[in-house]
Amino acid sequence: MMTDGDLAKLRQKLEIDPTFRQLFDADPVAAAESAEMHELAVGLEREMRELVALAERIAHDDAYRGELTADPLAALATAGMPAAIAEPLLQTRAVPDEVLAKLPDVVAHQHEQLSLKARLLFLLLDSTAITEELRSATPGA
């Protein structure tokens, strides 16, 4: 089971080690494994699979996309996604501005109060590899 300490160790390594940051940006799971953060790598892989599955659902499920358009926070909550990551997640999917306008403003300093899952998802959504993979779930891509 991944802990707050594991996530703190990851954040610290990302901040002080530019080589690790580049590895993480390209492949978060492999970067965690190479740093012998095995529990974290398992957690990252699980969260990445969930993000990709959700991106594919958004891309291919018209009914779900309708729910997402009507009430993005409720639709994401039913998919197990924390409300705090709604905006960066939906931006990777290039949803219309009117959907993003339905999201509440998030104060950046509230990150400390977020769940472990939300903080981990923020780190993943900041990686190039994940955002590219999520964007590739678009029909016809």
Side-chain angles (χ1 to χ4, degrees), residues 104-118:
D105 291 332
V106 177
V107 180
H109 72 275
Q110 290 179 341
H111 279 254
E112 295 82 34
Q113 301 169 356
L114 296 175
S115 70
L116 181 65
K117 177 178 179 117

Side-chain angles (χ1 to χ4, degrees), residues 67-121:
E67 292 171 25
L68 190 66
T69 299
D71 188 347
L73 290 181
L76 291 174
T78 63
M81 292 294 141
I85 64 116
E87 187 170 358
L89 174 62
L90 294 176
Q91 286 175 338
T92 68
R93 301 301 309 138
V95 297
D97 288 340
E98 57 268 12
V99 175
L100 292 174
K102 294 177 183 178
L103 299 174
D105 291 332
V106 177
V107 180
H109 72 275
Q110 290 179 341
H111 279 254
E112 295 82 34
Q113 301 169 356
L114 296 175
S115 70
L116 181 65
K117 177 178 179 117
R119 288 179 285 148
L120 185 61
L121 290 170

Side-chain angles (χ1 to χ4, degrees), residues 7 10 25 33 44-45 73 90 118-119:
L7 190 57
L10 173 63
D25 195 44
E33 283 290 346
L44 288 166
E45 188 170 14
L73 290 181
L90 294 176
R119 288 179 285 148

Side-chain angles (χ1 to χ4, degrees), residues 18 24 39 80 88 135:
F24 187 87
E39 293 295 321
R135 287 184 179 128

